[in-house]
Structures are given as C-alpha cells and as structure tokens.
Amino acid sequence: MAETTHTEFTPNTAPEGEVTDLGDLDEKARLGAPSGAIDRSAAIDGFTEQGESLSAQNAGSEQLGLKKHSHGNAPVVPEASRGERRRSFDLADFPTLTGLEEDWRFTPLKRLRGLHTEELNGSAPSIEVTGAGNVTVETVGRGDARLGASATPEDRVSAAAWHTFTEATVITVPKETVADGEVMVSVTGTHAEAAAQHILITAEAFSKAVVVIDHHGSATLAQNVEIVVGDGADLTVVSVQEWDDDAVHVSSQQAKIGRDARYKHVVVSLGGDLVRLTPSSIFTAPGAEVEMYGLYFADAGQHLEQRLLVDHAVPNCKSRVTYKGALQGAGAHTVWVGDVLIRKAAEGTDTYETNRNLILTDGARADSVPNLEIETGLIEGAGHASATGRFDDEHLFYLMARGIPEVTARRLVVRGFLNEVIQQIKVPSLEERLSESVERELAAGNL
C-alpha cells in the first residue's frame, strides 16, 4: 500500500554544557516558563517556545474545554489541544451529544442504544476471573477508595458508566510478584439492556503479569477499565472484543504508568455491531515505556472505532503505537484516531505511531487520523504514519506466479498483514484462537 501520511520530527541533540538532568524539572516548566539554566528566550518577537503568542482575546472563556476564537469576540470553539479536553466524574459536565463533537463525529449515535442518553439500568455482563493463583481478585462496592483514583471519565458515556455501576472487579498483582500464568477475565453478556461495568487492574511495584479481558455474548455495555502500572512493573493487558453480531460496546481503558515501568496494551476487535474503544496511556514518572497494538476486522455494516491517547507528561519516556485493520462488505466502517501529546515538561521523549488499513471489497470505509502535538523541541524523536489501500498487486502477482491460486494468495496477504499484531499477545492459546477467527472472517467474505 502507498503511504498517504508520514510526518517525522527529530531535533538536534542539546549542545555540550546544557543542563541534562531532566528529573528536576519544576512546575514552571509545565506552565511554559524556562527551566534550569537553559536559555530558551524566543528569537522572534511575538513567539514563545511553544509557537505563536496568542492574543489576549484568546485567553479562554468560562466554558470548560472551550476558548474564544482568536479573531475578535466570535463564538467559542473547541480547544485544539488534546490535553485540554474536559475530565469529570459528574455526568452533568458533559452536554448531551449531537454528533458534531470532535470525539464523536465518526460515531453513529443512533446505534449506541441509549448509552449516551438513557439510564444504564441493566445488569452488567458477568465476569469470571481464572488463571494465576498468586493474583488477588476482589468484587467491591463503588465506595472503595481505590476506584477512580487513577482514571477520570473523558466523555459522556464513560461518565454515565461511572455514575451507574454498583460494584467493580479489582485485580491486583502484588508487589514484586510474577504471575504464575495469564489472568483470564471472561466478560459474558446475555441481554441487550444498557448496562455499566467497572474493572480495576493494578500491577504493584516490580510485578509482572499478562491480563486478558475477553468479551463475548450479547450486550449493550458502557465500560470503564482503570489500569495502574506501578514503578518498575511489567504489565500486558489484552482486550478482545469477539461479541455476538448485535452487541454494542463502548469502553474507556485508561492506564497510568509509573517510573521505569513497562506497559503493553493490545486491542483485538472482531465482533459486535458497534464497538468503540478509547485506550489511553499516561506517563507519570520518567523512564517508562509503552507499546500499544491494535487489530480490527470489520464486516458489512459493522462499526469498529479506536481512539487512543499517549500522554507524555514527564521526561525520558518512550512509546510505540501500531494498529492494523481490514474491512470487507458494504457499510463496513472502521475509525482510528491516534493522539500523541508531548507536554512542555516531556523532554527526551521518543515516540512513533502508525496505522494501516486494508480494504478488501467495495463499499467499505476506513477513517484514519494520526495527531501529534509537541510542546517542546527537546525530544529524541516523534513521528506518525497512516496508510489505507487495497491489495498490493505486486504481492499477489508474486504469489500467483509461483502457482498459488488467487484466493489463497489473497488470504496469505491478509494473514501476514494482521499477524504482526496477533504475535504481540504472547499467549499461544489465544493467538491460535484469534488466527482461526481471522480465517473465519476471510471465509465469510469469500476471500
């Protein structure tokens, strides 16, 4: 596939003699003031280190998340920065959705089955946790102090789920513990009534574990998943959406990553009528690394949406994002929006995100929007890439020239395209199952 979007930025290294201890950055650095002994005076009048100095008329309004237009006292417009989006536990802080909001402009609201407008009074899908015996599993009430301590709702559906859930599943990997097997969290839906669910996964300091959240059955679910990765911990979370054809699933999966921690998040979305995931990774201390992978395969009429955020809020962290999708059938629609925010204090950041989409038939649509916001030039590197296209004719010709039938050649290309993500799961039984699921998707499309 020909690459349609590619942006990369790699600044020069700091000259000798400049301050190199990034761990002592103070709050002034976050607010745009110079830090340490580095001379950061603007070379051009009217410009700051972040860019153009905005007019005083653009200082903002009383509306949360909105600011006045820079051209006079015009109506307010949404804040452009991903870091300025509103966060709140109060549902009233999120206006009723219209579909014109940036976060919802690709989502068919009428197919949410009331997750954004109705009370979520249905019973939540059942949860069964199996696997590692040295991992703690609890069911707690909403008053548990640990809930909400590491994640705040960013949209109306997430806030509605927080407002409604009555009990939560809490999974804890104790300090300095290596889980003696994969933690399998089976989420099973049995009805279409709108419901809320809350899950908290905590990997305490210097622990190591793989947690798989496996969704299946029928459901209309608003879900919040909090993830805490302690200092020096190594955590992999895999979220599999293999719902029945009628399911609607909207899930916010927010992770906070501690000092020198390692975090891998893998999304696999295959089933459901509408699935919308918003994974986020927020660095809270230097030295951490994040990998985020995604695989999605949309059939006719299916809507699969992924909106992710990597928030580099501290120095010397690394992130890599790779999402791949395939689409077939009339009305198949996928959405990938990747936001990477490098804040003022995040000097030494190293980040790259990529999205690839393979359109297998006519009538399918893939929207891909990579966003990269940089507030400091003192980084190791940052870039993003996006590509959407059909089969590579040269690949097909190469295989067919060696005696491989066209149908088999097409399937080999798709398998190879998606297998990069499946291999990142590192759970052999699950990898085998998902490979078989991809085969069934291909067979259903006569490919």
Side-chain angles (χ1 to χ4, degrees), residues 357-438:
N357 297 289
L358 187 57
I359 297 179
L360 306 179
T361 66
D362 292 336
R365 170 182 169 180
D367 288 293
S368 179
V369 185
N371 296 312
L372 180 58
E373 183 179 355
I374 306 173
E375 296 180 356
T376 176
L378 300 178
I379 61 175
E380 291 295 321
H384 59 201
S386 169
T388 298
R390 296 183 178 274
F391 280 107
D392 189 317
D393 290 336
E394 291 186 2
H395 289 174
L396 289 177
F397 177 79
Y398 177 87
L399 295 171
M400 293 171 65
R402 282 150 182 79
I404 299 174
E406 182 178 358
V407 172
T408 303
R410 286 177 177 273
R411 292 189 180 187
L412 286 173
V413 171
V414 178
R415 287 190 208 118
F417 176 70
L418 297 178
N419 198 50
E420 177 186 358
V421 175
I422 293 176
Q423 289 180 329
Q424 293 298 328
I425 295 173
K426 308 301 184 184
V427 180
S429 60
L430 182 57
E431 290 182 3
E432 181 179 357
R433 186 189 112 194
L434 294 176
S435 295
E436 293 173 354
S437 297
V438 170

Side-chain angles (χ1 to χ4, degrees), residues 159-199:
W162 170 264
H163 179 74
T164 308
F165 83 95
T166 57
E167 62 181 23
T169 299
V170 178
I171 300 167
T172 306
V173 187
K175 183 179 179 179
E176 300 179 354
T177 296
V178 177
D180 55 16
E182 294 82 29
V183 180
M184 306 299 295
V185 183
S186 181
V187 180
T188 306
T190 58
H191 60 80
E193 296 178 33
Q197 187 174 70
H198 200 99
I199 299 172

Side-chain angles (χ1 to χ4, degrees), residues 128-149:
E128 181 182 9
V129 182
T130 59
N134 56 350
V135 171
T136 303
V137 180
E138 306 167 75
T139 300
V140 302
R142 63 176 295 115
D144 191 293
R146 293 170 292 180
L147 303 180

Side-chain angles (χ1 to χ4, degrees), residues 9 11 40 49-50 342-349 373-379:
F9 171 61
R40 304 182 183 192
E49 187 179 350
Q50 291 77 30
I342 304 174
R343 295 181 186 267
K344 170 71 177 178
E347 298 175 353
T349 289
E373 183 179 355
I374 306 173
E375 296 180 356
T376 176
L378 300 178
I379 61 175

